[in-house]
Every structure is written in structure tokens, then in C-alpha cells.
Amino acid sequence: MNGNDIRAEFLKFFAARGHAVVPSSSLVPDDPSVLFTTAGMQQFKRYYTGELDAKKDFKSLNAASVQKCFRTSDIDEVGDESHLTFFEMLGNFSFGEYFKEGAIQYGYEFITKVMKLPIDYVTVFDPDKVPEGDWRKGVPRDDESRVIWEKLGVKDVRGDGIDVFWGPTGAEGPCGPTTEIYVKSAAGKSLEVWNIVFNEFYRDTEKKLTKLQTRGVDTGMGLERLAMVSQGVPTIFETDLFTPLMKLLPSNLSERTRRILADHVRGIAFLLSDGVRPSNKEAGYVLRRLMRRLITHLHIAGNPIDPAHLYWEVREHYEKFYPKLNTQIVLEEFTVEWARFEKTLAVGLKELAKVDSLDAKRAFTLYESYGLPYEILKELGGEKAKRLNREEFDEEFAKHQEISRAGSVKKFGGHGLILNTGELKAGDEEELKKMTRLHTATHLLQKALREVLGSEVAQRGSDITPERTRFDFSFPRKVEKEELEEAEELVNKKIKEDLPVNFKEMSKEEAEKTGALYFFKEKYPNRVKVYYVGHSLEDAWSKEFCGGPHVMHTGEIGRIKITKEKAVGVGVRRIRAILVE
Ligand code: SER
């Protein structure tokens, strides 16, 4: 079956069995604790927890979708026979209607009857295979699934550990044991094609499991892999989903490189169409690396093809199913990034040829000066880059970001990391990073409390550790749960808006006139900095006298949670909040 037929058959199968067909959500999820959509279930998270009502929204407790997904975890595997960054996931979901029996029966029927593929073996959860001390150790063995499979005539049922326990995506969420279906590929290798998750638990940010009120089913099957076994070809790159792209890619590049580029072309087209733009952080940084890898390899091959043809091919194949795919934007953005990178690319490659060994520090210098991403350095560095690894490179990257931030702090007062309420001491970069995020979060929190409770809220003290922020403020009564929730929500909303954070240095008198908040107990120097959150000082949402350091954009904070509220004196309340990653 070709890719289009598989999608159609899958949705038809589940629609005929009472499932609402739901379109794919964006590759950029609403959940700020994750960069990309990595699974079909992500857009349904709140139906499992009962926060949203599937019956009301879909007129059914069951849904099915074909979801665009992007995973960076597999990026170093891309180029082998079956791994990808961008892929499509077929999934069926039940929010409290059917469970193990129904889900396994559907999986069995679709694979063996519709796809006409024999099942090689399946796996089920066995806590004996989970390492000691792991948070999943206490989950019972899934004998129920084993029995269901055996009744269907599947003889090879294997117990497995943490690989057959799913989730949560992000800091917290639904999770549970899974059962996986394996099918033999044309090359004779057994491939996992379908993962059926039984969401029975909710994992909180402290990794504690509680039973979900309604148990749910979440399944995920990679379209490309299924096409590979269905079409009897040894790699996903030989399926109809890839062959037209592969044919267009320069033939003087290695097979592996052409596979990587075919993967990246699709990733770039879909990420740009969903609004991601190349940059030096988060999703934008991932996108930039994909773009630069493609640009570099085309350059090395002598630019034998206009990349527009690659994107037109992607459009040709996908636009019917994904109408948001926008080649015009893709081409415009790609051209801009190309022009930006081309200025340094040739020099960078020359420099790379000159160095005799490439460690993380040197690699990072090449990245910083010429924009050559890690992947390129690793690939083209050959023997010289043998010892270069991603982890160390990422460490250099993080270090650099901290140094540029801390640099501006040091200038203020000349004594390192000073907050306006006492000294902020970070033991290492990791801690500093967390405290910086919490510090900006504290500014947002003060403003949010003033919005919710009124302007009588004024700072009385604050203390930040890598684990939490503690904020004391004047207020005459207990803050109600609803009020705390409202303030928390407001902070998270401002984080999500990804507002820029900047400061202006000025005289104390001028600073007071801006309306910025300050802490009455603090003695300020004659010249102070006003940190503001928003696009300009005038219309900033939050303004405070402060020495920093702060994040550059509120989005870096991730998400916060208020964990405690209590009195610490007459008319003084204390709030603690943590980062939820
Ligand atoms: N969430 C599971 C996965 O991504 C099943 O959909 O594998």
C-alpha cells in the first residue's frame, strides 16, 4: 500500500468503529514544557485527565488521527534504515471507553487483516525488567495484555521494561504500560511498528504516580515504517514517501547523507509551515541546524540542484493532506537563511580543514565564528572529530549563553551575581540558569499578584535557590486558592507570550518616574537599572529596579507552579513557586 492509501485505510478503519477523525495539530504544541509535538496523544492530553470532555468536543469518546511529529532524540540515528526527525504518526485514542481488550483487538485486526502483515512478536510490561529505584518499578506486570494476545493466537509475547512504559510528554501528564507490535521487514529485521499505550496513571512533577480517574488508550504507529514493511522494501527511504525526494538529491553524496537530507527537507518544510523560524535557541535552533546541514551538503556537491525543487516535491506529496504546508514561506525563509550562512560557510569549511583535531571547545568556536553546526563539524571533521561528542558541544553552548548573560551582571556594582534583595549565589552554570529563570519569574509573579490582589501588594523580601523562588509581600489576609491559581496562570500566560526582557540604566529619579517597582528596604545607588518585560519600557508589563540577571525572553522560563502560600508576619505573606520542566 502506498502512503496515501495507508493513511486513508487507517482513518476509515477507525471511523467505521465509532472514532472521530481529528486533524493533526501543529508541530509546535501549546505545552510550553516541550519544544515539539512528538506524539499523536499530545493534543489529547487534557481528555485523559478529564479537564476536557471528548464527548462534547468530538461527539465520541474515541478519536483517530494522523499526526505530524518531530523528534530530536533520534537525530543521530537518521541515515539508518528507519529513523527520522519528522514523521507521521497514525493513532487511535479512547478517553474512557475501550481499554486493553478493545485496543489490542483493533491493533491485531488492522495489522493482520487490513495491512495483511504477519505479526512477528509483541511485548508487554514486566516490572522485573525495570531497574531498581526507577519510578516505574512499582507498576504491576501486565498479564492481562499477555492473555489477550495469546487468545488472538499471537504466541511470541515478550516481557520488557522501561521501553514498554510510555510518557509523560513534558513535565507531567498521563502515562502507563504499553504493548508493542513487531513485524519483520524485507531485510529480515524485526521492527516495532505499533505502540499501544494504556494510560492508567498521572505522573506529577515529582515523578509520583496516581491512578487516573478514567483509564485511556493512546496508540502510535509510524506511517513511514508501516509503509516500509507493507511495500516490502529494506529502508523507509525506498518507500513511495521518499523515493521522489531521494531521486532529486545530488548523486555524488553518500547514501547516508542523501537520506539525512531527505529527512531534513521534510522537517524544514513542515517546521517553517507551522511557524518556527531559524534562530539560536530552542525550536529555532533545531530548525537552523537542519537548514545549515542541507545548505552545506548542497554546497559541497557543487549546488547541482535548486532547493526549490525539493520543497516543491514535498508540497506535491503532502499538500492535499496538510493544507497548511506553505512552500512560499518555506522558500522565502530558506533563501534568507542561505544568504546569511553563505557569507561564512566557505571560510568556515576552510578553517575546519586547517585544524588538526576537533574538541568541543574548538568545535564551538567554529560554530560561533562561522555558523557551522555540530552535525556538520562531526560529519566533515572525519578522523579529527572522532572524539567530538554532542554532550560536550552542548555544554560549551550552554556555557557561552551564561557567560554572555552574566557578563552584563558583573558590570553592575562589580560584585557578581547580586539580586536587589541579597546575594544570589549559584554553584555552577546549571544552577545559575535555573535561578535566572526563577528570578525573571519572580518579577512576573509580583506583577501578577498586583493584578489579581491589587496595588497594596509590595515586595518585602525574596530569596531564590535553584529549586524555588520565595517571595514575601505585604497583604492583609490569606490569598485564596483561586487567586493563587489566577496569578499562576497569568505568569504562565506572560511566559508563553515569550516577551523580551531588557533593562535601561538611568538615574534613580528618572527610574522612579517610569513607575517601576522597587523594594523600599533596599538602598539603591544613584544610577540604577530598570528591568522591563515587554517590547518597550513605556508599555512594559512588568518594570522593576533590579541588577539582574534575567532571561532574555520570558519563554525561556518554561512554566511555573505556585507551591505554597502562608503568613510570615502581620500583614506579610510568603509564596513559594517552582519551575515545572
Ligand atoms: N504515545 C505513544 C508513542 O508515541 C503512543 O502513541 O509511541
Side-chain angles (χ1 to χ4, degrees):
M1 255 190 243
N2 69 32
N4 288 337
D5 290 343
I6 298 176
R7 272 193 219 103
E9 285 298 323
F10 182 84
L11 295 176
K12 196 173 94 193
F13 179 89
F14 283 101
R17 286 160 183 78
H19 290 64
V21 171
V22 178
S24 172
S25 63
S26 166
L27 281 173
V28 184
D30 329 340
D31 181 348
S33 68
V34 283
L35 285 189
F36 298 113
T37 296
T38 57
M41 63 81 68
Q42 241 157 294
Q43 67 164 321
F44 299 116
K45 253 169 119 169
R46 288 185 295 168
Y47 294 100
Y48 291 108
T49 55
E51 282 165 84
L52 293 177
D53 181 356
K55 203 92 222 177
K56 206 168 114 214
D57 294 354
F58 309 131
K59 304 195 173 42
S60 169
L61 285 177
N62 311 319
S65 71
V66 177
Q67 173 68 49
K68 296 174 274 188
C69 294
F70 191 93
R71 290 188 182 175
T72 49
S73 54
D74 291 337
I75 203 161
D76 291 322
E77 251 81 56
V78 178
D80 71 359
E81 71 274 20
S82 64
H83 284 90
L84 293 167
T85 56
F86 170 82
F87 65 100
E88 293 172 82
M89 190 186 276
L90 311 169
N92 58 293
F93 311 90
S94 187
F95 315 107
E97 195 164 295
Y98 59 88
F99 200 49
K100 293 187 179 175
E101 183 104 42
I104 293 177
Q105 172 74 37
Y106 287 148
Y108 176 82
E109 216 180 301
F110 186 78
I111 290 291
T112 60
K113 308 268 161 63
V114 180
M115 298 305 298
K116 300 192 172 56
L117 292 166
I119 292 176
D120 188 21
Y121 67 90
V122 298
T123 54
V124 294
F125 181 73
D126 180 354
D128 289 349
K129 303 262 164 79
V130 172
E132 278 315 318
D134 187 276
W135 57 277
R136 289 153 283 204
K137 188 75 186 169
V139 176
R141 188 189 330 275
D142 191 2
D143 290 327
E144 196 185 337
S145 294
R146 173 180 290 276
V147 170
I148 298 167
W149 280 119
E150 284 169 354
K151 264 202 220 145
L152 287 167
V154 176
K155 296 205 178 60
D156 195 350
V157 182
R158 307 182 184 180
D160 202 352
I162 55 173
D163 286 345
V164 287
F165 195 98
W166 164 262
T169 59
E172 57 186 320
C175 62
T178 83
T179 179
E180 298 172 332
I181 303 178
Y182 284 75
V183 173
K184 266 211 164 66
S185 78
K189 205 167 142 182
S190 227
L191 262 198
E192 179 213 328
V193 292
W194 207 339
N195 188 17
I196 299 172
V197 182
F198 305 116
N199 277 316
E200 289 183 69
F201 305 104
Y202 191 88
R203 198 194 83 169
D204 67 17
T205 51
E206 256 118 60
K207 295 194 179 166
K208 264 226 303 286
L209 296 181
T210 44
K211 282 232 165 208
L212 278 174
Q213 229 162 18
T214 21
R215 301 181 304 184
V217 167
D218 146 36
T219 88
M221 175 156 58
L223 173 67
E224 292 80 357
R225 280 194 191 182
L226 189 62
M228 167 181 158
V229 285
S230 171
Q231 292 166 25
V233 288
T235 75
I236 43 182
F237 301 98
E238 286 152 89
T239 64
D240 72 302
L241 294 163
F242 277 99
T243 39
L245 259 186
M246 289 296 280
K247 276 197 200 119
L248 287 174
L249 284 159
S251 54
N252 55 339
L253 292 173
S254 74
E255 175 69 13
R256 184 171 171 273
T257 302
R258 290 167 63 231
R259 289 177 183 176
I260 292 171
L261 300 188
D263 167 82
H264 286 17
V265 166
R266 303 190 332 156
I268 294 165
F270 278 95
L271 287 173
L272 283 169
S273 298
D274 275 348
V276 182
R277 293 293 175 265
S279 76
N280 286 331
K281 63 176 194 125
E282 297 173 353
Y285 174 57
V286 175
L287 170 62
R288 169 163 283 170
R289 280 157 44 200
L290 302 187
M291 292 169 110
R292 292 191 169 191
R293 205 171 186 185
L294 176 63
I295 294 167
T296 307
H297 282 294
L298 290 178
H299 172 92
I300 289 169
N303 288 321
I305 173 183
D306 180 342
H309 292 286
L310 299 168
Y311 297 118
W312 288 330
E313 179 51 49
V314 175
R315 180 183 62 191
E316 174 88 18
H317 201 101
Y318 289 98
E319 75 179 339
K320 269 218 187 74
F321 202 77
Y322 297 106
K324 260 193 83 182
L325 198 59
N326 186 332
T327 353
Q328 197 182 329
I329 286 185
V330 173
L331 290 179
E332 276 170 24
E333 288 292 329
F334 190 80
T335 309
V336 172
E337 182 66 13
W338 195 337
R340 201 184 278 140
F341 185 40
E342 218 177 19
K343 286 194 199 112
T344 55
L345 173 61
V347 192
L349 291 176
K350 270 199 200 116
E351 287 301 313
L352 174 63
K354 275 193 222 153
V355 298
D356 36 84
S357 90
L358 205 57
D359 59 6
K361 262 208 170 65
R362 222 171 262 176
F364 182 73
T365 312
L366 286 175
Y367 166 72
E368 212 187 6
S369 322
Y370 308 106
L372 298 178
Y374 168 84
E375 291 82 5
I376 292 295
L377 296 166
K378 184 77 188 164
E379 268 159 26
L380 304 181
E383 274 297 301
K384 296 182 223 173
K386 219 170 153 193
R387 298 228 314 277
L388 178 65
N389 68 57
R390 189 179 287 284
E391 222 167 63
E392 281 171 21
F393 183 86
D394 288 347
E395 266 169 38
E396 284 300 318
F397 191 89
K399 225 187 268 174
H400 170 84
Q401 288 188 328
E402 292 314 331
I403 289 167
S404 53
R405 219 171 272 152
S408 65
V409 181
K410 288 213 176 75
K411 275 184 222 135
F412 179 76
H415 38 205
L417 305 166
I418 300 292
L419 293 190
N420 59 356
T421 54
E423 236 178 293
L424 175 66
K425 278 208 187 73
D428 56 36
E429 259 105 30
E430 200 51 41
E431 285 186 359
L432 174 61
K433 209 170 175 176
K434 282 195 185 132
M435 289 161 88
T436 306
R437 288 159 66 203
L438 280 167
H439 186 198
T440 311
T442 312
H443 281 214
L444 298 179
L445 184 62
Q446 168 157 228
K447 173 64 183 178
L449 288 168
R450 286 169 65 90
E451 290 275 336
V452 175
L453 304 174
S455 55
E456 50 193 315
V457 169
Q459 179 173 354
R460 288 301 192 86
S462 111
D463 180 62
I464 296 172
T465 71
E467 282 73 45
R468 52 110 186 106
T469 175
R470 199 181 75 197
F471 183 67
D472 296 351
F473 59 95
S474 48
F475 192 63
R477 63 165 169 85
K478 180 166 179 54
V479 187
E480 297 301 335
K481 194 166 157 269
E482 289 72 20
E483 292 169 326
L484 290 174
E485 278 167 9
E486 210 186 318
E488 185 187 88
E489 215 176 279
L490 189 51
V491 172
N492 285 326
K493 181 167 163 264
K494 292 295 163 183
I495 291 175
K496 213 149 150 200
E497 283 170 22
D498 201 20
L499 297 168
V501 183
N502 282 301
F503 67 83
K504 274 208 175 104
E505 209 169 318
M506 58 190 87
S507 73
K508 207 158 78 184
E509 289 72 27
E510 266 181 276
E512 276 166 18
K513 281 192 211 126
T514 66
L517 301 174
Y518 55 93
F519 182 31
F520 73 97
K521 263 165 72 184
E522 184 80 3
K523 283 211 170 38
Y524 290 97
N526 287 332
R527 283 192 75 74
V528 295
K529 279 182 187 170
V530 173
Y531 264 91
Y532 60 95
V533 179
H535 294 282
S536 69
L537 179 59
E538 286 66 45
D539 62 21
W541 189 67
S542 141
K543 294 177 213 179
E544 274 191 57
F545 285 28
C546 182
H550 284 281
V551 299
M552 303 202 230
H553 284 266
T554 56
E556 290 167 55
I557 299 169
R559 198 178 160 80
I560 67 132
K561 193 175 170 61
I562 294 177
T563 51
K564 241 186 215 155
E565 189 274 342
K566 64 171 188 178
V568 281
V570 184
V572 182
R573 313 293 306 182
R574 170 169 289 178
I575 279 183
R576 283 172 193 258
I578 58 168
L579 296 171
V580 198
E581 273 178 301

